[in-house]
Amino acid sequence: ADQASLMLWDHSEQALIIKAALNLPQGIVAKTRKKAGEMIAGWVFQTRRPLLLRDDIPLDTSIKQSMRRPEIASALCIPLGVSDRAVGVLNLNTLRGNLPLSASDMAMMSLLCNQAAVAIENVYLSARLAAVERLRLSAERFLSPRVAQTIAAGAATTFSVTPNAGFTASVGGTCGGTLAGTTYTTNAINGSCT
């Protein structure tokens, strides 16, 4: 292929966005956004069916009208998906005067795109897990016993104490209480204490 682009679905923009490109003008890379069902890439993304575009292959009129670059001799648009979830499309183009893409190219690229989709999905999942862990750690900062809390007079409260790796938990302060494993229970609170 003379040109290529990898478009991934952006949930915040609700569109396919070019994330990687080969031999495409920077203006096209920066501006291109395709909704599901819109133009060729959006149609392939929505239907999850690969599409081979060549002059000698009859095409639906609406698809033919989407071909706006006359310098392209042939094109492949391959969906990337995992299970029931589409993640993007791969676009490959050959320019006029070069060997056109074929049905066997489409079959081979479909196999590669299936593997790429799994890898991309794994990256997404890893990023989501990391974000959840950051959120959890951030929340724990605000739930530590160092944060002032109101407790009814004469009542006790319980905290989980989880030391960082390589440390042990110990409790001090003026509230009094007991530490059993990772659970700290205060004595009855009858005034301000730390």
Side-chain angles (χ1 to χ4, degrees), residues 146 160-172 179-184:
R146 285 177 251 143
S160 265
V161 180
T162 307
N164 289 335
F167 293 89
T168 58
S170 64
V171 180
L179 179 63
T182 60
T183 302
Y184 177 73

Side-chain angles (χ1 to χ4, degrees), residues 24-151:
L24 283 179
Q26 186 55 39
I28 289 175
V29 173
K31 293 187 308 186
T32 301
R33 304 284 186 275
K34 298 295 179 212
K35 303 285 184 194
E38 179 184 24
M39 307 293 282
I40 294 167
W43 181 86
V44 168
F45 177 79
Q46 186 175 53
T47 63
R48 297 189 60 194
R49 291 178 24 207
L51 188 60
L52 173 61
L53 305 164
R54 285 179 26 173
D55 291 336
D56 61 341
I57 297 175
L59 295 172
D60 182 85
T61 306
S62 63
I63 292 173
K64 209 157 194 71
Q65 289 172 346
S66 296
M67 296 176 65
R68 296 188 174 167
R69 296 179 51 213
E71 74 275 14
I72 295 175
S74 65
L76 270 176
C77 189
I78 310 288
L80 289 96
V82 177
S83 299
D84 62 343
R85 193 171 101 74
V87 296
V89 297
L90 177 68
N91 300 297
L92 302 171
N93 302 328
T94 59
L95 301 177
R96 297 219 178 265
N98 294 330
L99 188 63
L101 295 163
S102 66
S104 62
D105 293 326
M106 184 168 69
M108 181 186 66
M109 292 312 298
S110 291
L111 290 172
L112 292 173
C113 284
N114 288 338
Q115 296 303 310
V118 170
I120 291 166
E121 183 68 8
N122 286 341
V123 169
Y124 279 149
L125 291 174
S126 294
R128 279 188 229 140
L129 286 173
V132 167
E133 181 64 9
R134 284 191 305 274
L135 182 61
R136 184 187 69 76
L137 291 172
S138 178
E140 283 181 354
R141 269 185 330 141
F142 297 108
L143 299 175
S144 76
R146 285 177 251 143
V147 176
Q149 297 183 23
T150 303
I151 300 169

